Amino acid sequence: MAQKPLVVANWKMNGTPSKAKVLAEGVHRAMGSPYPVEVVLAPPFTALETVARLIGKKLGLAGQNVHWEDAGAFTGEISAPMLRAAGCRYVLVGHSERRRLFHETDAQIAKKLSACLRSRLRPILCVGESLSERRQGRTRRVLASQISGALKELPEHARKSIIVAYEPVWAIGTGQNASRGQIIDAHSWLRQALVPFVGESRVRQTRVLYGGSVNPANSADLASTPGVDGALVGGASLKASSFTAIVRAFAGRDKRS
Ligand code: PGA
């Protein structure tokens, strides 16, 4: 694989700035520079500035969500230019918690992607099927429609900067990660679904991450799974030692393969 693996810490709605500082310091200290893995932290909005100040250029910073307009009367929302000014280079878009709890639609997700690209933020587009969709044999259909719903309106050059995270909803926060076979199948299907939007040659460079109950015990296996270019980590990213163990599993993958 040409690009470095990407491992993203999604802290969700956890941590005041002082707690975020301790956690970010722990991760920062454990990472060498240069390092064979790209590491990105996605703290809550209120901790972005604190984390940005201490990670410097060694780690990347991401927003967990973004609004599709750049400014205006949207109480409680954060825009892409604001995230960019706070030091972000990445944004999570369409996380299943946003889709499920906040009723985000594919059309809104598509507008959010455009907003990211206007502000030179790289979106990490999250897709994934629910348990009932999997049981009904609809996984592939759901993934393809989430990809197409998000990307079809974007100009071609913009589609190329997208990173995709496959996060089966049933694996998030449940301790039940997807099996190697399920991940291989979903990732290769996602690449096929991406071809009409990014082109055959570019699809090989589009990073597809896995997320859903990634932890230090399953990360070495995940890192050596074909088609996995990194991980999106929730619960296990809230402890510096467990998150850096996952990062190290990705750092060691070239030695194992
Ligand atoms: P989890 O969350 O690692 O706690 O399952 C992953 C995510 O929601 O991105």
Side-chain angles (χ1 to χ4, degrees), residues 10 12 95 167 171-173 212-214 232-235:
N10 175 13
K12 309 193 180 185
H95 189 280
E167 295 208 305
I172 295 178
S213 296
V214 177
L232 178 51
V233 187

PDB file of all heavy atoms in Angstrom, residues 10 12 95 167 171-173 212-214 232-235, ligand 1:
ATOM      1  N   ASN A  10     -11.819   8.831  17.761  1.00  0.00           N
ATOM      2  CA  ASN A  10     -13.082   9.567  17.867  1.00  0.00           C
ATOM      3  C   ASN A  10     -13.495   9.581  19.337  1.00  0.00           C
ATOM      4  O   ASN A  10     -14.013   8.593  19.845  1.00  0.00           O
ATOM      5  CB  ASN A  10     -14.139   8.865  16.992  1.00  0.00           C
ATOM      6  CG  ASN A  10     -15.510   9.495  17.126  1.00  0.00           C
ATOM      7  OD1 ASN A  10     -15.648  10.586  17.676  1.00  0.00           O
ATOM      8  ND2 ASN A  10     -16.525   8.811  16.612  1.00  0.00           N
ATOM      9  N   LYS A  12     -15.765  11.273  20.674  1.00  0.00           N
ATOM     10  CA  LYS A  12     -17.212  11.510  20.841  1.00  0.00           C
ATOM     11  C   LYS A  12     -17.438  12.612  21.893  1.00  0.00           C
ATOM     12  O   LYS A  12     -16.618  13.507  22.023  1.00  0.00           O
ATOM     13  CB  LYS A  12     -17.937  10.206  21.186  1.00  0.00           C
ATOM     14  CG  LYS A  12     -17.580   9.091  20.184  1.00  0.00           C
ATOM     15  CD  LYS A  12     -18.458   7.890  20.264  1.00  0.00           C
ATOM     16  CE  LYS A  12     -17.997   6.880  19.213  1.00  0.00           C
ATOM     17  NZ  LYS A  12     -18.858   5.715  19.127  1.00  0.00           N
ATOM     18  N   HIS A  95     -21.257  10.020  10.570  1.00  0.00           N
ATOM     19  CA  HIS A  95     -21.108   8.953  11.562  1.00  0.00           C
ATOM     20  C   HIS A  95     -22.490   8.367  11.867  1.00  0.00           C
ATOM     21  O   HIS A  95     -23.488   9.087  11.891  1.00  0.00           O
ATOM     22  CB  HIS A  95     -20.469   9.515  12.835  1.00  0.00           C
ATOM     23  CG  HIS A  95     -20.090   8.452  13.805  1.00  0.00           C
ATOM     24  ND1 HIS A  95     -21.011   7.853  14.639  1.00  0.00           N
ATOM     25  CD2 HIS A  95     -18.905   7.841  14.048  1.00  0.00           C
ATOM     26  CE1 HIS A  95     -20.397   6.934  15.362  1.00  0.00           C
ATOM     27  NE2 HIS A  95     -19.115   6.907  15.030  1.00  0.00           N
ATOM     28  N   GLU A 167     -18.117   1.343   9.065  1.00  0.00           N
ATOM     29  CA  GLU A 167     -18.450   1.132  10.470  1.00  0.00           C
ATOM     30  C   GLU A 167     -19.816   0.461  10.584  1.00  0.00           C
ATOM     31  O   GLU A 167     -20.848   1.143  10.598  1.00  0.00           O
ATOM     32  CB  GLU A 167     -18.502   2.477  11.209  1.00  0.00           C
ATOM     33  CG  GLU A 167     -17.171   3.182  11.282  1.00  0.00           C
ATOM     34  CD  GLU A 167     -17.110   4.069  12.523  1.00  0.00           C
ATOM     35  OE1 GLU A 167     -17.981   4.922  12.708  1.00  0.00           O
ATOM     36  OE2 GLU A 167     -16.179   3.878  13.324  1.00  0.00           O
ATOM     37  N   ALA A 171     -21.526  -3.018  15.285  1.00  0.00           N
ATOM     38  CA  ALA A 171     -20.203  -3.261  15.888  1.00  0.00           C
ATOM     39  C   ALA A 171     -19.738  -2.068  16.715  1.00  0.00           C
ATOM     40  O   ALA A 171     -18.739  -2.152  17.429  1.00  0.00           O
ATOM     41  CB  ALA A 171     -19.187  -3.553  14.786  1.00  0.00           C
ATOM     42  N   ILE A 172     -20.457  -0.950  16.635  1.00  0.00           N
ATOM     43  CA  ILE A 172     -19.992   0.273  17.308  1.00  0.00           C
ATOM     44  C   ILE A 172     -20.366   0.243  18.786  1.00  0.00           C
ATOM     45  O   ILE A 172     -21.546   0.141  19.134  1.00  0.00           O
ATOM     46  CB  ILE A 172     -20.573   1.529  16.627  1.00  0.00           C
ATOM     47  CG1 ILE A 172     -20.027   1.633  15.196  1.00  0.00           C
ATOM     48  CG2 ILE A 172     -20.236   2.779  17.427  1.00  0.00           C
ATOM     49  CD1 ILE A 172     -20.572   2.796  14.415  1.00  0.00           C
ATOM     50  N   GLY A 173     -19.328   0.290  19.614  1.00  0.00           N
ATOM     51  CA  GLY A 173     -19.536   0.361  21.060  1.00  0.00           C
ATOM     52  C   GLY A 173     -20.135  -0.895  21.673  1.00  0.00           C
ATOM     53  O   GLY A 173     -20.600  -0.873  22.806  1.00  0.00           O
ATOM     54  N   GLY A 212     -15.445   0.065  14.645  1.00  0.00           N
ATOM     55  CA  GLY A 212     -16.469  -0.739  15.333  1.00  0.00           C
ATOM     56  C   GLY A 212     -15.785  -1.691  16.288  1.00  0.00           C
ATOM     57  O   GLY A 212     -15.308  -2.745  15.870  1.00  0.00           O
ATOM     58  N   SER A 213     -15.701  -1.286  17.576  1.00  0.00           N
ATOM     59  CA  SER A 213     -15.101  -2.119  18.620  1.00  0.00           C
ATOM     60  C   SER A 213     -13.654  -2.527  18.325  1.00  0.00           C
ATOM     61  O   SER A 213     -13.245  -3.646  18.634  1.00  0.00           O
ATOM     62  CB  SER A 213     -15.972  -3.350  18.892  1.00  0.00           C
ATOM     63  OG  SER A 213     -17.238  -2.947  19.406  1.00  0.00           O
ATOM     64  N   VAL A 214     -12.896  -1.610  17.736  1.00  0.00           N
ATOM     65  CA  VAL A 214     -11.462  -1.875  17.566  1.00  0.00           C
ATOM     66  C   VAL A 214     -10.806  -1.687  18.934  1.00  0.00           C
ATOM     67  O   VAL A 214     -11.080  -0.721  19.641  1.00  0.00           O
ATOM     68  CB  VAL A 214     -10.835  -0.898  16.541  1.00  0.00           C
ATOM     69  CG1 VAL A 214      -9.329  -1.139  16.423  1.00  0.00           C
ATOM     70  CG2 VAL A 214     -11.516  -1.027  15.179  1.00  0.00           C
ATOM     71  N   LEU A 232     -10.902   3.580  12.674  1.00  0.00           N
ATOM     72  CA  LEU A 232     -11.589   4.668  13.374  1.00  0.00           C
ATOM     73  C   LEU A 232     -11.976   4.085  14.730  1.00  0.00           C
ATOM     74  O   LEU A 232     -12.741   3.116  14.803  1.00  0.00           O
ATOM     75  CB  LEU A 232     -12.807   5.106  12.553  1.00  0.00           C
ATOM     76  CG  LEU A 232     -13.694   6.206  13.114  1.00  0.00           C
ATOM     77  CD1 LEU A 232     -12.902   7.422  13.544  1.00  0.00           C
ATOM     78  CD2 LEU A 232     -14.727   6.634  12.060  1.00  0.00           C
ATOM     79  N   VAL A 233     -11.404   4.662  15.777  1.00  0.00           N
ATOM     80  CA  VAL A 233     -11.496   4.041  17.106  1.00  0.00           C
ATOM     81  C   VAL A 233     -12.296   4.932  18.052  1.00  0.00           C
ATOM     82  O   VAL A 233     -11.960   6.110  18.219  1.00  0.00           O
ATOM     83  CB  VAL A 233     -10.071   3.827  17.681  1.00  0.00           C
ATOM     84  CG1 VAL A 233     -10.151   3.023  18.975  1.00  0.00           C
ATOM     85  CG2 VAL A 233      -9.163   3.146  16.665  1.00  0.00           C
ATOM     86  N   GLY A 234     -13.323   4.386  18.664  1.00  0.00           N
ATOM     87  CA  GLY A 234     -14.122   5.142  19.623  1.00  0.00           C
ATOM     88  C   GLY A 234     -13.674   4.869  21.048  1.00  0.00           C
ATOM     89  O   GLY A 234     -12.689   5.434  21.528  1.00  0.00           O
ATOM     90  N   GLY A 235     -14.380   3.970  21.719  1.00  0.00           N
ATOM     91  CA  GLY A 235     -14.132   3.689  23.141  1.00  0.00           C
ATOM     92  C   GLY A 235     -12.659   3.490  23.493  1.00  0.00           C
ATOM     93  O   GLY A 235     -12.179   4.065  24.481  1.00  0.00           O
TER      94      GLY A 235
HETATM   95  P1  PGA B   1     -16.158   2.086  19.063  1.00  0.00           P
HETATM   96  O1  PGA B   1     -16.675   3.338  18.184  1.00  0.00           O
HETATM   97  O2  PGA B   1     -14.693   1.915  18.754  1.00  0.00           O
HETATM   98  O3  PGA B   1     -16.401   2.502  20.488  1.00  0.00           O
HETATM   99  O4  PGA B   1     -16.955   0.908  18.652  1.00  0.00           O
HETATM  100  C1  PGA B   1     -16.233   3.547  16.875  1.00  0.00           C
HETATM  101  C2  PGA B   1     -16.876   4.762  16.294  1.00  0.00           C
HETATM  102  O5  PGA B   1     -18.020   5.059  16.648  1.00  0.00           O
HETATM  103  O6  PGA B   1     -16.283   5.467  15.474  1.00  0.00           O
END
